[in-house]
Amino acid sequence: MSDSRTRTPRITGFLVSATAVSAGLISATPALALTGPEAAAGQLSSVVRLDIGDEANSRGCTGVLVDENWVATAGSCFAATPGTPAPAGKPALKGTATLSDGRAVEVVDLAPRTDRDLVLARLATPATGIAGVKRATAAPAAGAELTAAGFGRTKTEWVPDKLHTGSFTLATADATTYAIAGKGTDAICKGDTGGPLLNSAGELVGINSRSWQGGCLGAPATETRTGAIGARTDDLTDWIQSVRALTPGWKAETLVQAGSTLYQGIRLADGSWTGFTDVQSKAGNIGGVRTAAVAGINGDTHVVALGGNGRLQHTIRKADGTWGAFGDVNTAAGELNNITQVSTVSIGSDLHVVAVAGGKVFHTVRSGANGTWTPFGDVAGAVGPIGSVTSVATASAGGELQLVAVTGGKAYHSIRHTNGQWTAWGDVARAAGATGPITSVAMAGAGSDAHIVIATDNGTRQYHSVRYGNATWAPFGDLKDYLGTVTARSVAAGTVDGELQVAVTTTDDRIVHTIRHTDRTWGPTAPVAARNVTGTLGAITLAGTL
């Protein structure tokens, strides 16, 4: 294709006007093509028809569900002025997606790419019951056969109400686009813009952007070219997942260390994960991270990290995905020497932070109302000494802070009541059963119950117990049947939508994850693809956000 203006493929997104419809200019002849056959009933149910703009100035496009909330389509479909980018946020032009089951749902938010003609459009209500398209993670080979789908014009109809498909071959590819050629007389017409480009496995590899429209109704009779350009999607797994993570609803926010780098990733409600992001690249360089903890407050993710200079830092990842800068906790809450570990938990809108410093346990609270911090308090001064503490874990249960501290390989438990008073230390082994020496501990609250997960015997054994709201304990249960035979470097626990989620980093540098459901059954353990994480895996922590 030439770079001459007169030879540039045309954007194919515009529908015939309402005036033409009322004037009877739409052919009643059966459709012949995209230009290809009608899709079979029930086939490609993830493809949607998009109607954009008002009645006097409307345009039609096609899109495809990537999940029940987001539609992938061409950014040019939502551009207020053709040829300009579609801005992020609320659409400038009203858009309605008609789903394969006939439901019409308004588009309320846009997340565009700036490097290609692609946008993810969020629906006002989920397309419940319709599965999103499977997405390819590798580019098709040159010459591969591809299928395009759309609701655009055919050879004989201006506005068909049926989904059509066409067959194409991949001619060339660059970093952001595919050039495709129609097989036979198949072509992409007006209204097909934004439709999916699928490989032989039915996986999404691209989004139709512009085409020559040879053979389409309304195209010049002299135009015979059937080639087209599509925006690549196969290389955008992390971006698509990061946009999906902006959908309101329960998610598991996870921090994992690799060396002195701290990474943040999100497990979505469908069990898929985003890629992992270097937290310092978002919130500021604190000289590397020695240890960190995460807590969710509504839709926000609070991160407390021990920087390379031995000082605690705090940052917030907002629900919209933006990060605040790290702020020095010690400046706000008091100096601590020789900090080795930190744990965090939310109670209401307040953030509770427990730190181990010099073998002692200290506690502070960040007010959700105004962001101020209380001075660090020595927990031993209120609860009593238990020896040199090596690690701690916290949970919110029944609106109260529950704390487990490990010393000499044994766990001790205390509660900070809402009036600020602490209970005496209780020996967890006496209540839940003896185990080998504890090397990692995590906690999570669910209602009035507190779950505790531990790794023992140099990480070779993992156990779970519950301290119920009536102060009784369940015996430690071996997690081997659920986690398999793993050696844990670190265990993490968090409550997400009322269920306990457990993640483990292993000595062979894997992350595995499982869920204990509210009916007390455990789901299958699945590996976590820690995309973008490099180096030896270390500590992991997990919390739920809305």
Side-chain angles (χ1 to χ4, degrees):
M1 295 179 184
S2 169
D3 59 1
S4 168
R5 182 182 305 176
T6 60
R7 293 176 59 83
T8 300
R10 293 182 289 275
I11 292 175
T12 57
F14 302 104
L15 277 179
V16 65
S17 70
T19 302
V21 175
S22 62
L25 299 179
I26 300 175
S27 169
T29 306
L32 298 178
L34 162 127
T35 53
E38 289 184 10
Q43 184 185 21
L44 302 178
S45 59
S46 60
V47 182
V48 306
R49 189 180 76 240
L50 291 168
D51 297 298
I52 300 165
D54 55 28
E55 186 175 352
N57 183 24
S58 64
R59 63 183 69 165
C61 281
T62 303
V64 62
L65 292 165
V66 297
D67 67 13
E68 63 180 12
N69 293 288
W70 293 91
V71 172
T73 189
S76 53
C77 291
F78 282 94
T81 302
T84 63
K90 183 179 179 180
L93 301 173
K94 181 180 179 180
T96 301
T98 300
L99 310 179
S100 57
D101 62 5
R103 282 177 289 171
V105 185
E106 185 177 355
V107 172
V108 293
D109 194 18
L110 299 177
R113 290 288 298 189
T114 59
D115 62 344
R116 64 197 76 181
D117 187 19
L118 178 66
V119 68
L120 292 184
R122 184 164 67 87
L123 302 177
T125 57
T128 306
I130 303 177
V133 67
K134 293 182 179 180
R135 304 192 302 275
T137 56
E145 183 168 328
L146 305 174
T147 298
F151 284 96
R153 295 179 187 178
T154 67
K155 292 179 182 295
T156 58
E157 279 193 317
W158 285 97
V159 190
D161 60 357
K162 298 289 187 180
L163 179 66
H164 291 78
T165 62
S167 296
F168 296 80
T169 55
L170 176 61
T172 60
D174 60 24
T176 59
T177 62
Y178 290 126
I180 59 176
K183 296 186 69 176
T185 60
D186 287 359
I188 292 174
C189 301
K190 286 188 176 182
D192 295 325
T193 293
L197 193 61
L198 307 169
N199 64 16
S200 58
E203 299 168 330
L204 182 72
V205 297
I207 292 295
N208 299 320
S209 174
R210 55 195 188 275
S211 73
W212 297 113
Q213 303 177 44
C216 298
L217 186 62
T222 56
E223 182 58 79
T224 60
R225 290 167 295 183
T226 58
I229 299 293
R232 289 183 62 172
T233 60
D234 62 276
D235 61 331
L236 296 178
T237 295
D238 285 349
W239 177 73
I240 292 172
Q241 290 294 88
S242 68
V243 173
R244 293 183 63 220
L246 301 178
T247 309
W250 283 102
K251 295 171 280 287
E253 300 279 347
T254 305
L255 299 179
V256 63
Q257 285 183 254
S260 61
T261 305
L262 181 67
Y263 296 91
Q264 175 259 352
I266 304 173
R267 182 185 186 274
L268 307 182
D270 65 353
S272 65
W273 290 76
T274 66
F276 281 73
T277 300
D278 182 343
V279 174
Q280 289 184 98
S281 71
K282 299 294 185 179
N285 189 335
I286 56 175
V289 176
R290 300 182 185 180
T291 185
V294 64
I297 300 179
N298 298 320
D300 296 339
T301 304
H302 289 250
V303 175
V304 175
L306 180 63
N309 61 359
R311 300 182 70 82
L312 288 176
Q313 305 284 336
H314 169 259
T315 185
I316 302 174
R317 180 188 183 275
K318 293 290 188 181
D320 63 4
T322 59
W323 289 80
F326 273 121
D328 193 310
V329 176
N330 294 119
T331 298
E335 301 296 327
L336 295 176
N337 296 319
N338 301 317
I339 302 171
T340 56
Q341 199 235 329
V342 64
S343 180
T344 57
V345 68
S346 61
I347 300 179
S349 62
D350 296 337
L351 177 69
H352 289 250
V353 178
V354 174
V356 180
K360 296 182 179 181
V361 182
F362 297 86
H363 168 258
T364 182
V365 182
R366 180 187 183 274
S367 169
N370 54 25
T372 59
W373 295 80
T374 63
F376 272 115
D378 185 344
V379 174
V383 185
I386 53 172
S388 182
V389 173
T390 54
S391 59
V392 291
T394 53
S396 170
E400 297 182 321
L401 174 65
Q402 299 209 20
L403 168 67
V404 164
V406 176
T407 177
K410 296 184 65 177
Y412 295 86
H413 172 264
S414 179
I415 298 176
R416 182 183 185 271
H417 297 303
T418 54
N419 62 4
Q421 299 298 308
W422 293 82
T423 64
W425 292 114
D427 186 335
V428 174
R430 289 184 180 179
T435 66
I438 296 172
T439 52
S440 182
V441 61
M443 292 184 75
S448 60
D449 300 334
H451 294 261
I452 177 171
V453 178
I454 60 174
T456 71
D457 301 281
N458 294 317
T460 59
R461 306 290 295 273
Q462 304 87 38
Y463 298 93
H464 165 261
S465 178
V466 184
R467 184 196 184 273
Y468 298 111
N470 62 7
T472 63
W473 289 74
F476 273 120
D478 195 328
L479 293 178
K480 182 178 180 180
D481 288 345
Y482 312 113
L483 294 175
T485 302
V486 299
T487 300
R489 282 203 180 103
S490 177
V491 295
T495 305
V496 184
D497 197 16
E499 297 186 320
L500 175 68
Q501 297 199 17
V502 175
V504 178
T505 54
T506 67
T507 55
D508 57 351
D509 280 327
R510 294 183 297 128
I511 302 175
V512 295
H513 172 274
T514 189
I515 298 177
R516 182 183 187 267
H517 302 296
T518 54
D519 63 3
R520 303 187 180 185
T521 62
W522 290 81
T525 295
V528 177
R531 296 190 304 277
N532 310 322
V533 176
T534 59
T536 300
L537 296 177
I540 189 168
T541 181
L542 184 153
T545 61
L546 272 173

